[in-house]
Amino acid sequence: MSDNRGYRFSFGPWNIHEGADPFGPPVRPTVEYAKKLASYKKLGFDAIMLHDDDVVLQIEGKSHAQVLKEAQAFKNMLDDLGLIPEILAPRLWEDARGIDGAFTANDPAIRRWAIDRSKQCADIARVLGTDLMILWLAREGTYIREAKSAITAHRYLIDAINVLLEHDSSIRVSIEPKPNEPMDHAYIPTIGHALALAHQTKDPGRVGGVIETAHAILAGLDPADEMAFALQAGKLWSVHLNDQNGLKYDQDKSFGAANLRSAFNQVRVLEEAGYARFGMVAFDVKAMRTQPADKALAHLDNSRKLFLHLVDKVRSFDTQAEKQLRDQRDYEALEMLVLKHLMGV
Ligand code: XUL
Ligand code: MN
């Protein structure tokens, strides 16, 4: 049994990936779904993130009864594997109808479809036994500002969340902010936006956030501070740890791979808040495109191990010296204390 230092870890089936990018085809064969699921426990993971169509394949066109039946069969399979479903998310962005956004589409028929599919997603979550629904608002934005009314679009988002809260009295909705990609301008770019929106809904206590490292960096913000903002409000309901090399496309690099000190500070803020008691640590990471197939699970293993090393680093950090240096306002020495601790010298 591996020592997870009190944490529970999660990832999504999409984190085992064929390596395709917008400029090239897949470079690794598709890993059979059953094999993906079988790899979780071997890698030290207890939980799984899911989209509605990860649970019920080809979900569109299936009757509600059929969807719930397949969800139950999936739940039984997870139980057999000993896997906990962490979150469920409606994958609205892969349907052609959502091209101009789903909840914020100008066309009312598309908005209705998005809400109906999300309500169904809440029903699947209930069958699976999770109350946490993630909304990554992928295409809720525009390529050009003139394409939609942003004021109306934000109200549509609030309306959609209200419908979900009313539909299921126990569901919690967790918004995953991201400033861009696939859209040029996304409507909910930061956790500040997400929580402000949460407070305008009918039941703000059931609307929170999930912070992804890369998304915070893409917004030009510090991921640890974004997490701290949500934590102090009791609103950090999941994290998608990964890494990102500056303002580029969403890289989903292994946790800590680009900026170890930033990763240390993310773990530090989670430790300070006692996050392990109430949340799971999900890694939204992808193997490098150039990684051969036989080693294309290492990014998950490495992210989890790196996280655990950093937990040890946070727990063994000399907080007495930290306090003294803070009191002395000797920030150069405090910085060196951190860097030398990370380097082990
Ligand atoms: C996209 C992203 C998604 C969500 C789940 O950038 O992070 O994978 O985490 O829908
Ligand atoms: Mn994510």
Side-chain angles (χ1 to χ4, degrees):
M1 193 51 201
S2 52
D3 175 9
N4 279 341
R5 320 287 196 273
Y7 283 90
R8 284 174 305 165
F9 297 105
S10 167
F11 69 87
W14 65 93
N15 295 120
I16 303 176
H17 188 251
E18 292 83 358
D21 72 16
F23 301 101
V27 291
R28 293 183 288 263
T30 300
V31 175
E32 217 182 291
Y33 203 20
K35 278 203 176 143
K36 288 188 184 183
L37 296 179
S39 64
Y40 277 73
K41 286 281 175 177
K42 288 184 210 151
L43 291 164
F45 286 75
D46 295 312
I48 180 166
M49 301 195 279
L50 293 158
H51 296 101
D52 52 358
D53 57 358
D54 292 319
V55 176
V56 179
L57 307 181
Q58 283 100 41
I59 195 166
E60 287 291 345
K62 286 186 177 162
S63 71
H64 194 57
Q66 179 65 21
V67 164
L68 296 187
K69 193 174 147 209
E70 291 188 29
Q72 185 57 55
F74 195 88
K75 164 73 175 151
N76 297 344
M77 184 168 66
L78 291 184
D79 287 348
D80 289 346
L81 292 163
L83 285 180
I84 309 161
E86 185 206 359
I87 60 104
L88 201 67
R91 201 184 244 136
L92 301 172
W93 55 93
E94 296 214 347
D95 190 291
R97 279 169 286 191
I99 189 166
D100 284 325
F103 300 125
T104 63
N106 289 331
D107 180 345
I110 308 277
R111 296 201 300 276
R112 260 196 310 279
W113 159 75
I115 288 177
D116 286 346
R117 176 137 167 199
S118 304
K119 280 160 72 179
Q120 176 169 263
C121 185
D123 299 343
I124 300 172
R126 192 173 267 273
V127 173
L128 258 48
T130 177
D131 67 351
L132 196 55
M133 187 160 152
I134 288 204
L135 294 185
W136 169 46
L137 300 167
R139 306 193 69 84
E140 313 303 349
T142 53
Y143 293 125
I144 58 163
R145 286 212 159 85
E146 298 81 2
K148 290 178 188 172
S149 157
I151 291 178
T152 310
H154 285 94
R155 292 195 179 134
Y156 286 151
L157 287 174
I158 296 168
D159 291 346
I161 294 171
N162 282 339
V163 173
L164 287 175
L165 295 172
E166 268 172 23
H167 176 72
D168 185 318
S169 58
S170 57
I171 201 89
R172 290 181 299 147
V173 175
S174 192
I175 301 172
E176 182 175 347
K178 183 175 182 183
N180 59 275
E181 199 197 36
M183 306 314 287
D184 188 0
H185 310 290
Y187 287 135
I188 305 295
T190 71
I191 193 68
H193 291 80
L195 297 192
L197 200 80
H199 277 282
Q200 289 174 272
T201 63
K202 287 193 172 147
D203 192 354
R206 287 198 286 135
V207 187
V210 42
I211 290 170
E212 176 161 325
T213 314
H215 298 179
I217 296 169
L218 285 171
L221 297 169
D222 179 77
D225 277 357
E226 287 284 276
M227 287 173 195
F229 180 72
L231 284 165
Q232 59 78 31
K235 292 284 195 181
L236 189 64
W237 294 346
S238 187
V239 285
H240 286 186
L241 300 186
N242 56 20
D243 216 342
Q244 171 75 24
N245 230 338
L247 298 176
K248 300 179 183 174
Y249 62 98
D250 186 5
Q251 295 183 309
D252 292 340
K253 290 168 95 70
S254 292
F255 182 53
N259 188 336
L260 202 51
R261 184 169 172 194
S262 164
F264 170 75
N265 280 316
Q266 289 166 64
V267 177
R268 194 166 156 272
V269 81
L270 295 177
E271 281 277 294
E272 185 185 336
Y275 178 81
R277 286 197 305 273
F278 56 89
M280 292 191 205
V281 170
F283 295 106
D284 203 351
V285 289
K286 298 224 174 68
M288 282 177 251
R289 188 160 194 254
T290 45
Q291 181 67 50
D294 61 338
K295 293 186 180 63
L297 294 182
H299 60 305
L300 294 159
D301 194 34
N302 293 344
S303 293
R304 179 180 152 277
K305 285 183 176 150
L306 201 278
F307 179 90
L308 291 171
H309 284 311
L310 288 174
V311 170
D312 293 344
K313 282 287 174 190
V314 171
R315 292 183 184 172
S316 61
F317 188 56
D318 186 348
T319 48
Q320 293 278 43
E322 178 191 49
K323 182 173 180 330
Q324 260 176 20
L325 293 170
R326 276 184 188 177
D327 291 346
Q328 291 163 11
R329 303 191 60 256
D330 191 347
Y331 304 119
E332 299 290 352
L334 180 53
E335 184 156 77
M336 273 311 274
L337 185 73
V338 175
L339 294 177
K340 285 173 83 173
H341 186 61
L342 285 176
M343 291 172 73
V345 294

